[in-house]
Amino acid sequence: AQSVTQPDIHITVSEGASLELRCNYSYGATPYLFWYVQSPGQGLQLLLKYFSGDTLVQGIKGFEAEFKRSQSSFNLRKPSVHWSDAAEYFCAVGAGNFGNEKLTFGTGTRLTIIP
Amino acid sequence: GAVVSQHPSRVICKSGTSVKIECRSLDFQATTMFWYRQFPKQSLMLMATSNEGSKATYEQGVEKDKFLINHASLTLSTLTVTSAHPEDSSFYICSAGVGTSGNTIYFGEGSWLTVV
């Protein structure tokens, strides 16, 4: 069975600083990997996804993530954070056929932005 | 773009009653939808896979008789929490996938259930 580990429960970053959120996965085959963001009391918004091809994936809001098979990682990065980036971030791995993915989520990383 | 909508966004019900949550795919057909539950400050846990025209597949530990799932059409799945108890209070969220390669999964806005 697949699993996802997000080792950082809470990260605090100054506005304008760079950000990296860690994600490690366990899956027997080539994984489908996702990063989602959730604002308090809200649903999930997809930031980016990886299925195949280029291991550096560009997403919305200036986020990117790099798939490293040798490290079983899919870390999320942003060169300069904005106060509006404060939220909960979830990494997920998908299993199943195209278009029918059930996801296994990590425990999430809460991002706080300080002025 | 594809949108998944849930209703209601918030519901309060009395202990012992049942409550239904709807999940609709607004501009695409979804033969499969997924229901997740998220307790406060925790991650999302898959409850069940909803299959159009057939029985739902429940994850281990999820009571199928308590959480009734119906997927009667290609655009609608419903989750009914029967005989609700305060411990069922949670954030319930559905998702649906669309496409073949380049698959995208969309989540609904979620539904807050409070059982009093």
Side-chain angles (χ1 to χ4, degrees):
Chain A
Q2 64 267 28
S3 66
V4 177
T5 302
Q6 292 181 248
D8 304 306
I9 297 174
H10 184 202
I11 284 182
T12 300
V13 178
S14 297
E15 189 170 15
S18 63
L19 170 71
E20 182 170 32
L21 302 182
R22 295 184 290 167
C23 172
N24 293 96
Y25 69 90
S26 174
Y27 186 59
T30 299
Y32 303 145
L33 296 163
F34 306 82
W35 274 101
Y36 286 89
V37 60
Q38 184 182 37
S39 297
Q42 303 294 314
L44 299 178
Q45 182 180 26
L46 177 67
L47 288 176
L48 46 80
K49 59 189 178 185
Y50 170 79
F51 293 130
S52 63
D54 193 346
T55 56
L56 184 62
V57 180
Q58 301 297 321
I60 63 171
K61 302 184 178 184
F63 286 93
E64 67 177 27
E66 186 171 11
F67 170 60
K68 293 185 177 180
R69 184 187 298 275
S70 62
Q71 300 177 17
S72 297
S73 69
F74 189 57
N75 295 347
L76 182 71
R77 300 193 294 249
K78 186 170 184 177
S80 176
V81 298
H82 186 262
W83 64 266
S84 60
D85 293 324
E88 189 86 20
Y89 290 80
F90 292 97
C91 180
V93 61
N97 299 321
F98 286 124
N100 292 291
E101 305 295 339
K102 62 177 182 179
L103 302 182
T104 299
F105 285 86
T107 49
T109 298
R110 183 160 60 94
L111 176 64
T112 298
I113 307 296
I114 56 176
Chain B
V3 176
V4 174
S5 178
Q6 278 184 245
H7 178 81
S9 58
R10 290 182 180 272
V11 58
I12 299 173
C13 71
K14 291 184 177 181
S15 185
T17 63
S18 296
V19 62
K20 180 185 288 186
I21 301 170
E22 295 184 346
C23 178
R24 293 182 183 274
S25 56
L26 296 185
D27 55 2
F28 67 99
Q29 294 182 332
T31 56
T32 304
M33 293 184 177
F34 302 93
W35 286 96
Y36 295 83
R37 179 170 53 187
Q38 184 182 31
F39 291 109
K41 299 187 184 300
Q42 295 187 26
S43 188
L44 289 83
M45 299 299 293
L46 179 67
M47 298 176 65
T49 302
S50 174
N51 303 299
E52 189 270 333
S54 64
K55 292 182 179 180
T57 305
Y58 290 82
E59 297 299 303
Q60 190 173 9
V62 177
E63 300 174 61
K64 62 180 181 181
D65 295 329
K66 181 172 185 60
F67 298 99
L68 301 180
I69 292 173
N70 183 278
H71 196 150
S73 77
L74 287 171
T75 60
L76 174 64
S77 175
T78 60
L79 168 69
T80 301
V81 183
T82 63
S83 187
H85 291 283
E87 57 264 31
D88 298 324
S89 299
S90 185
F91 187 60
Y92 292 88
I93 190 166
C94 68
S95 74
V98 61
T100 52
S101 61
N103 168 59
T104 296
I105 302 165
Y106 294 95
F107 280 82
E109 310 95 327
S111 300
W112 281 103
L113 170 62
T114 302
V115 184
V116 298

